[in-house]
Amino acid sequence: MMDPVFASRLQFALTTVVHIIFPVMSMGLGPFLVYFTWKSMRSDDGVYEQLRDFWTKIFAVSFVVGTVTGIVLEFEFGTNFAAFSKSVGELFGGPLAVEGMMAFMLEATFLGIFLFGKEKVSEKFHFFSGVMVALGSWLSALWILVANSWMQTPRGYEVVMKSGQPIITLVDPIAAYANPRFPWLYTHMQSAAVLSVAVFMAGVAAYHIWTNRDSRFWRKTLKIALLVMVLVAPFQVIHGDAYGRHVVETQPQKFAAMEAVWETESYVPEYLFAVPTSLDQLTNPRAKELFGIGIPGGASWLASGGDPTAEIRGLNSFETEAPPVAIVFWAFRIMVGIGTWFILLAFWGAYRWWKGELFEDDLLHKAMVASAPLGIIAVEMGWIVTEVGRQPWVIQGVMKTQDAVSPTLTSGDAVLTLTGFVLGYAAILGVYSYVVYRIIREGPPEIDESDQEGRRGTDAGTDTDKDTDRDRDTPYGVPSDD
């Protein structure tokens, strides 16, 4: 029979992997909805109204499914991790309560107005509702990541014994909630969400442009998504590099697992490309034994912020057992590889845009379609590095994962809940995927084309092909009214 600790960890990992898709979609789409609404309010161009209405559908579906999976996910703390819940309840209660009462309610309330109140409220209040929806999704992530970042770098607490149970009490809220990890984790997560959605939007638009190159809606979608990719993809890599040095300072064991460094050494290479040559190397990677392309001293340079001869502490030098190195090492490389690909894809698209061939390059379109799900995969890999990399600790240096599991949980109970959660979340993911597919296949809502042409003609004195001409006449094809 399966060990209840392992079954609980597996269950939480699988359910989190599914749940994280939906908040990422919501957080990433939020800024786009604000922009589309603002543009539809400031211009007579009906395409922004189409953009807002179309992507709001996907936002709403993601919000609903994210709420369902998030609430159910929290039950796991009671069923499988009761010892953890009892120990940290005082400290976690604040952020989680604020997330539910303030951020979630803000997002849910104004989403109702944004979805159904367009004809019942003023244009400015409708825009304000869109801003509150986006703000609510980002505040929700803020409070969740406040709690999670505290688990990575715990501060402002004391451990006292009550009835034989270690209880973590809050003694300094500012130190606890503004812990050193929070700004790094929050910035990296939010920019990853925006980038993931931009790549998804570009892939969806590229797919439709195959069949209808003159679709103004999808051309506009592709250009906006590509512009965001050009801005955010390089930032994500630069920020990730600095984030890595913070991990070295606060969780050196996690960094050693990310680089599969077992012995303390200097001048450690950074393997940008690594391939196992045997099953053992896949399941138990040791960076020096892999076939790969490495930058001499690169890992030392990254860890120290510029010194290629700097020493990296190896996994064998720590008293606690190492985290699952294979999972952390390969997940980190997949994440970095996808991030690097996004930079290449973004600047490839920007170059074709500058050449006036953005909508003619089928190879680029195929690459964007194939890349559409990669943003979510990169977020999943990053989350795995964050969560698995701190093992065996559930709270770094304070509580081990094996001590967080419900003491009365049996193997049968754990397998039963694991089965139930896996089946339930798989069904939810399947329904969500089908609904989003239907929305994408149906395309944008119809608008009165004759009215739009008339308005554009009145504003600019040109015909509907003007957009095509401007694509070629201005830098990156950015229309002057964008």
Side-chain angles (χ1 to χ4, degrees):
M1 186 64 75
M2 188 178 292
D3 175 36
V5 175
F6 176 76
S8 298
R9 292 175 62 179
L10 180 61
Q11 175 181 314
F12 196 80
L14 292 176
T15 51
T16 304
V17 161
V18 174
H19 169 69
I20 200 171
I21 296 172
F22 315 116
V24 165
M25 292 297 293
S26 299
M27 293 183 299
L29 279 170
F32 284 100
L33 296 186
V34 171
Y35 174 72
F36 295 152
T37 308
W38 178 70
K39 288 293 291 183
S40 69
M41 186 174 65
R42 294 291 300 273
S43 76
D44 294 327
D45 192 342
V47 75
Y48 291 106
E49 185 176 340
Q50 284 183 301
L51 285 165
R52 180 198 61 204
D53 292 348
F54 176 79
W55 290 106
T56 297
K57 291 181 183 177
I58 296 179
F59 179 96
V61 174
S62 302
F63 172 79
V64 171
V65 179
T67 301
V68 172
T69 55
I71 291 174
V72 175
L73 188 66
E74 292 186 4
F75 281 110
E76 288 186 65
F77 289 112
T79 58
N80 295 70
F81 296 96
F84 172 78
S85 300
K86 187 174 182 179
S87 293
V88 301
E90 177 184 326
L91 194 142
F92 270 32
L96 296 184
V98 173
E99 189 274 334
M101 291 189 295
M102 184 261 278
F104 173 75
M105 292 304 295
L106 180 73
E107 186 179 3
T109 301
F110 281 97
L111 180 59
I113 298 172
F114 193 68
L115 278 172
F116 306 112
K118 190 173 69 173
E119 307 300 331
K120 298 179 176 60
V121 300
S122 68
E123 195 175 47
K124 289 183 179 179
F125 192 80
H126 188 248
F127 170 70
F128 176 74
S129 300
V131 173
M132 291 299 102
V133 168
L135 180 63
S137 69
W138 280 50
L139 285 176
S140 182
L142 183 148
W143 291 110
I144 295 297
L145 294 182
V146 160
N148 184 274
S149 61
W150 180 84
M151 295 163 68
Q152 311 286 336
T153 53
R155 300 287 190 279
Y157 70 96
E158 282 184 356
V159 180
V160 298
M161 297 301 293
K162 292 183 180 178
S163 304
Q165 168 83 25
I167 302 296
I168 296 172
T169 60
L170 183 63
V171 297
D172 187 344
I174 295 178
Y177 299 148
N179 63 80
R181 176 58 51 83
F182 172 70
W184 293 102
L185 185 59
Y186 187 70
T187 303
H188 206 63
M189 187 69 192
Q190 299 309 96
S191 55
V194 172
L195 178 60
S196 299
V197 166
V199 174
F200 178 74
M201 293 173 72
V204 172
Y207 172 77
H208 281 280
I209 287 173
W210 270 349
T211 56
N212 183 7
R213 293 187 190 277
D214 294 328
S215 169
R216 194 159 177 272
F217 177 88
W218 293 116
R219 289 157 64 100
K220 182 71 74 176
T221 300
L222 180 57
K223 288 193 289 187
I224 293 172
L226 186 56
L227 184 60
V228 172
M229 288 170 61
V230 169
L231 294 174
V232 180
F235 168 78
Q236 189 71 342
V237 173
I238 295 170
H239 180 267
D241 171 57
Y243 185 4
R245 283 192 288 281
H246 169 72
V247 172
V248 174
E249 296 170 0
T250 55
Q251 293 176 302
Q253 191 175 21
K254 177 187 288 186
F255 184 81
M258 290 160 58
E259 299 294 340
V261 175
W262 291 84
E263 303 297 335
T264 300
E265 55 187 308
S266 305
Y267 202 63
V268 179
E270 175 66 30
Y271 288 94
L272 302 176
F273 177 77
V275 177
T277 57
S278 68
L279 182 60
D280 287 343
Q281 289 183 350
L282 177 64
T283 58
N284 184 23
R286 295 169 186 268
K288 295 175 65 174
E289 300 172 3
L290 296 169
F291 174 78
I293 300 174
I295 301 175
S300 294
W301 188 86
L302 291 174
S304 63
D307 181 6
T309 64
E311 182 178 271
I312 293 180
R313 187 178 174 187
L315 289 162
N316 287 338
S317 68
F318 293 90
E319 295 181 358
T320 54
E321 62 188 278
V325 177
I327 297 175
V328 178
F329 178 82
W330 294 115
F332 179 66
R333 262 140 198 86
I334 293 171
M335 179 189 69
V336 172
I338 292 175
T340 304
W341 166 243
F342 283 169
I343 294 178
L344 297 174
L345 185 65
F347 283 91
W348 178 9
Y351 174 74
R352 302 301 285 176
W353 190 352
W354 178 68
K355 297 286 287 184
E357 300 167 346
L358 178 60
F359 308 117
E360 314 302 330
D361 190 339
D362 284 344
L363 183 59
L364 172 65
H365 299 161
K366 292 176 182 176
M368 286 183 167
V369 172
S371 301
L374 293 185
I376 296 295
I377 293 174
V379 171
E380 302 277 16
M381 294 299 109
W383 198 245
I384 287 172
V385 172
T386 300
E387 295 300 282
V388 178
R390 72 159 180 263
Q391 299 300 321
W393 302 102
V394 65
I395 303 172
Q396 183 71 44
V398 179
M399 174 184 280
K400 289 189 174 181
T401 305
Q402 64 187 26
D403 299 324
V405 174
S406 304
T408 59
L409 188 70
T410 66
S411 297
D413 295 336
V415 171
L416 179 64
T417 58
L418 171 62
T419 304
F421 272 96
V422 169
L423 292 177
Y425 273 59
I428 291 172
L429 180 60
V431 172
Y432 172 81
S433 301
Y434 176 73
V435 172
V436 170
Y437 166 75
R438 288 293 302 270
I439 293 173
I440 291 173
R441 193 181 67 172
E442 291 175 3
E446 296 292 335
I447 61 172
D448 187 339
E449 289 292 344
S450 59
D451 181 58
Q452 295 303 313
E453 289 175 9
R455 283 192 290 179
R456 287 198 296 273
T458 301
D459 292 341
T462 59
D463 58 24
T464 53
D465 291 330
K466 180 176 173 54
D467 190 57
T468 304
D469 297 335
R470 286 186 300 188
D471 293 342
R472 291 172 168 78
D473 294 339
T474 57
Y476 294 97
V478 179
S480 59
D481 62 347
D482 281 355

